[in-house]
Amino acid sequence: MGERLFTQRCVVALSKAGFAAKEVAPLTIGIRRRSFTAVQEFRDLYASYLLEEPADAENMISKAVADLSAQHSQVNRSQELLSLGVVFPMFKATRSLAPDAIATPWTDDISVVYAADLPTHWQFIEEPILNQWGVGPSELHDLAVRNLVKRTRQMEATVIPGNPPFTMYSSGDGFDAARALILPELEPDAEAFTLGVPTRNQLLYVAAGELPEAFGAALRAQVEQDFDTLDHPVSQRLWRLDATGAVTRVD
């Protein structure tokens, strides 16, 4: 069974469990049940299936969906997410925002959305959940950013030597691009940054507001290439971020 057929079988099983399922990509499915919204990955399950007998596929999918449904019931007690430190900001192209998304503009075409990073999936924070929590959008933003600072301080960015040096966050946790929000806190001695966020899993930056022409052109070319070729694109532009957090486009 190929990836697409396996994904279709997952969609059917999710629908039977009460999830509205929309195929986003092979082995990646967006799901919704009442106020619960998530992106569910089935890549690991498919890898396990390839090692098993084909007849086991239905049982494997049914068990995975049953586990997800049970976890959803547990997540309904979602007020706990605020104290667990698992809600983070995520960058998304404004044009692709969901109707109920809680979103904070970052630039004219990039918005910040918010997701709880749970063991098996993300739960995006939308209006019904926020209303249930009794928390305002600005309070949610501040909480998510604080959580991101704590997580990022435990990580190590990739630094490519040069003049100036080039830094990249590409952990794949979904929040790499949003680390642009906290650069002034991560590097408080920098007066400004030139950065690109081609996908949600990439932040490329230089701790300098102005770059040599050749260096800036190379950075722009890399951002445009990644935007065109990688999953979950955000922006193909370069941006300047100053120490106060103000963002302007680099033309």
Side-chain angles (χ1 to χ4, degrees):
M1 187 187 309
E3 291 185 0
R4 291 190 179 277
L5 181 56
F6 190 89
T7 304
Q8 291 171 5
R9 297 283 178 87
C10 292
V11 168
V12 171
L14 287 163
S15 298
K16 289 180 178 179
F19 293 97
K22 178 181 179 182
E23 184 176 343
V24 177
L27 305 179
T28 303
I29 302 172
I31 59 176
R32 177 186 292 271
R33 188 161 77 177
R34 296 188 293 277
S35 63
F36 173 84
T37 304
V39 175
Q40 183 66 33
E41 295 279 354
F42 288 92
R43 197 165 301 280
D44 289 343
L45 183 66
Y46 183 69
S48 298
Y49 154 74
L50 293 177
L51 300 176
E52 305 288 342
E53 292 294 329
D56 291 337
E58 298 296 340
N59 291 334
M60 293 176 66
I61 293 172
S62 295
K63 183 179 184 304
V65 171
D67 290 344
L68 177 64
S69 184
Q71 186 171 26
H72 168 233
S73 298
Q74 182 179 7
V75 167
N76 278 340
R77 299 188 292 275
S78 59
Q79 185 69 39
E80 298 174 6
L81 297 178
L82 289 176
S83 61
L84 292 176
V86 297
V87 177
F88 300 97
M90 179 184 290
F91 273 7
K92 205 165 188 182
T94 301
R95 65 181 181 279
S96 63
L97 291 177
D100 293 334
I102 302 297
T104 302
W106 189 67
T107 69
D108 57 350
D109 59 355
I110 301 173
S111 293
V112 185
V113 297
Y114 307 92
D117 191 12
L118 302 173
T120 60
H121 63 278
W122 295 316
Q123 180 180 356
F124 288 99
I125 310 305
E126 298 184 333
E127 288 186 12
I129 295 176
L130 206 62
N131 292 337
Q132 177 186 347
W133 289 353
V135 172
S138 62
E139 186 179 353
L140 174 67
H141 179 85
D142 292 344
L143 171 72
V145 169
R146 289 197 302 271
N147 290 340
L148 188 61
V149 171
K150 292 178 183 177
R151 172 180 282 197
T152 306
R153 290 201 186 280
Q154 300 172 7
M155 301 169 56
E156 189 169 337
T158 300
V159 179
I160 301 173
N163 186 22
F166 172 92
T167 306
M168 175 172 63
Y169 280 99
S170 186
S171 70
D173 66 357
F175 310 108
D176 289 307
R179 289 183 167 91
L181 295 168
I182 60 175
L183 284 181
E185 187 161 352
L186 296 177
E187 298 200 31
D189 294 333
E191 295 183 359
F193 305 86
T194 301
L195 62 92
V197 286
T199 79
R200 73 181 181 203
N201 288 319
Q202 280 186 298
L203 169 61
L204 317 172
Y205 74 90
V206 177
E210 302 294 334
L211 299 180
E213 184 175 349
F215 195 103
L219 180 59
R220 184 185 299 276
Q222 184 66 53
V223 168
E224 290 176 349
Q225 176 181 317
D226 292 345
F227 175 85
D228 289 336
T229 60
L230 300 180
D231 293 335
H232 311 296
V234 176
S235 175
Q236 58 185 332
R237 297 175 174 175
L238 290 186
W239 305 92
R240 185 184 186 276
L241 174 72
D242 68 23
T244 69
V247 187
T248 55
R249 178 178 172 178
V250 177
D251 292 322

